[in-house]
Amino acid sequence: MMKEKLFDKFAELFGNTEDVRFYFSPGRVNLIGEHTDYNGGHVFPCALTIGTYGVARKRTDNKIHFYSMNLDNFGVIEVSLDDLSYQKRYNWANYPLGVIWAFTEKGYKLDSGFDMVIRGNIPNGSGLSSSASLEVLTGVILTDLFGIDSLTMTDLALIGQYSENNFNGCNCGIMDQFAVANGKADNAIFLDTSTLNFEYAPVKLKDAKIIITNSKVKHSLVDSAYNTRRQECADALAALQTVVDIQSLGDLDMETFERHKAVIGDAVKEKRAKHAVAENQRTIEAVAALRTDDITRFGELMNQSHISLRDDYEVSCEEIDILVDLAWNTPGVIGSRITGGGFGGCTVSIVKNDAIDTFIDTIGKAYKEKVGHEAEFYTVEIGDGARRLA
Ligand code: GLA
């Protein structure tokens, strides 16, 4: 279906489909370990089976053409290889363009332009990483079309992050691109962001599933608040480093943090740092619990993660708290929390199979009543990372 639609569109726009190649890059959801990736802590995300599909082919001149079937009102966006600068009018195409720019910055110059058509099925603005998905998709397309075989999937994740930080101006950590690049079906990724060492952990939920609930709100302070949180953590770290020998907040356990926290000297920064330290410890414990099939403990830690993000890190919002409260009060819910950057977006819940229908029905109705608009529910599967498809 997807392939046919993309190939038809490609032929319509660029003449035919000879030598056109087909690619996919997933979205991601983070199960636990939120706002730890820029604090040298652990994260535990997984790639989804929804994501961004793309078709592409090299050209013989130096033009690059981008077309999105989701945002077809922008038409074909044309950029010359000789001028890879950020332009507001390029809109969504600044993401793939940023990756091309990052490739050339890192010494991988392209010898021609190319045509690229994409179509995604990640709900817009949901916080399931449609931009990271598109960045890593572009990385896979470039390495494949131009025969660059020295880059690993982790390199593509780093290039995606580099382009987002330096071309698109969002100061994100590595989690999203890493999960999209290195995803593995039925597994979550236990990543140590201080070393980029990672292990896959099978997500065996027995009689339960992962449900993502989209609040369908995205508060505008998201980018500025994200950067403020980063700065607050950096300040707290600098203060702590005057008394303990650490590289990041992820190096601390709770006990050491409690012993030295007074040196931070600012109540807000202390709360932020407390979250970063506690969330990292929770993530390590949650993965251990999952490995011993203790789903109940995993769920409890998800709930604690939410409380910490709500009260100490203060990145939740009314709508998300309503969804999480409703989930906590629904039978058959093992755990529920906000996921992603915050200030809207989605919650992630683990729900017993026989309770899923009631979960969707009762929370759906109550949310509509309280907030005034509908939430959306997705029962998701954990899929593989970005790749070329047949
Ligand atoms: C966003 C960022 C990630 C990470 C999360 C919070 O998704 O892109 O790097 O910091 O927020 O865990």
Side-chain angles (χ1 to χ4, degrees), residues 31-105:
L31 299 179
I32 192 161
E34 215 69 80
H35 291 280
T36 47
D37 66 344
Y38 51 86
N39 283 311
H42 292 77
V43 292
F44 195 50
C46 48
L48 300 171
T49 52
I50 54 171
T52 318
Y53 292 82
V55 288
R57 178 173 69 189
K58 274 175 90 164
R59 295 177 59 88
T60 49
D61 58 16
N62 65 355
K63 286 178 182 146
I64 311 165
H65 289 139
F66 302 106
Y67 185 89
S68 165
M69 293 182 73
N70 301 91
L71 297 164
D72 45 7
N73 52 314
F74 287 98
V76 174
I77 298 165
E78 183 179 291
V79 179
S80 163
L81 258 186
D82 306 325
D83 178 16
L84 300 176
S85 59
Y86 181 99
Q87 301 291 336
K88 215 168 172 210
R89 67 172 189 281
Y90 295 157
N91 192 273
W92 70 272
N94 281 306
Y95 287 105
L97 185 59
V99 174
I100 299 166
W101 169 84
F103 264 69
T104 60
E105 286 287 295

Side-chain angles (χ1 to χ4, degrees), residues 26-32 43-50 127-129 175-191 199-203 205 210-212 290 298 337 339 348 350 380-385:
R28 70 93 186 89
V29 67
N30 189 21
L31 299 179
I32 192 161
V43 292
F44 195 50
C46 48
L48 300 171
T49 52
I50 54 171
L128 301 177
S129 288
M175 171 171 73
D176 304 346
Q177 290 81 4
F178 199 94
V180 165
N182 287 311
K184 181 173 164 184
D186 303 324
N187 283 260
I189 303 171
F190 183 41
L191 169 67
E199 286 167 24
Y200 292 111
V203 180
L205 300 176
I210 299 170
I211 310 279
I212 294 174
L290 188 66
F298 190 88
R337 58 180 286 275
T339 185
V348 58
I350 298 180
V380 294
E381 305 289 332
I382 304 180
D384 287 321

Side-chain angles (χ1 to χ4, degrees), residues 222-287:
V222 56
D223 283 351
S224 61
Y226 188 89
N227 291 336
T228 314
R229 294 299 179 281
R230 281 195 77 140
Q231 191 53 51
E232 288 162 345
C233 287
D235 293 347
L237 173 64
L240 285 161
Q241 280 173 327
T242 63
V243 291
V244 272
D245 182 20
I246 49 168
Q247 300 299 315
S248 69
L249 294 177
D251 290 339
L252 287 176
D253 56 35
M254 263 339 264
E255 196 196 296
T256 317
F257 174 74
E258 289 296 334
R259 206 166 346 118
H260 296 294
K261 66 182 183 190
V263 73
I264 298 171
D266 176 294
V268 171
K269 290 174 187 169
E270 186 185 308
K271 283 204 289 185
R272 306 303 190 236
K274 179 181 165 211
H275 167 78
V277 174
E279 181 75 356
N280 182 43
Q281 298 301 319
R282 265 192 293 277
T283 306
I284 296 168
E285 193 192 336
V287 176

Side-chain angles (χ1 to χ4, degrees), residues 303-322:
N303 297 347
Q304 286 176 21
S305 166
H306 183 77
I307 294 169
S308 176
L309 288 156
R310 183 191 67 192
D311 300 343
D312 288 336
Y313 218 65
E314 297 179 281
V315 289
S316 191
C317 61
E318 201 190 335
E319 296 87 346
I320 289 285
D321 288 340
I322 289 173

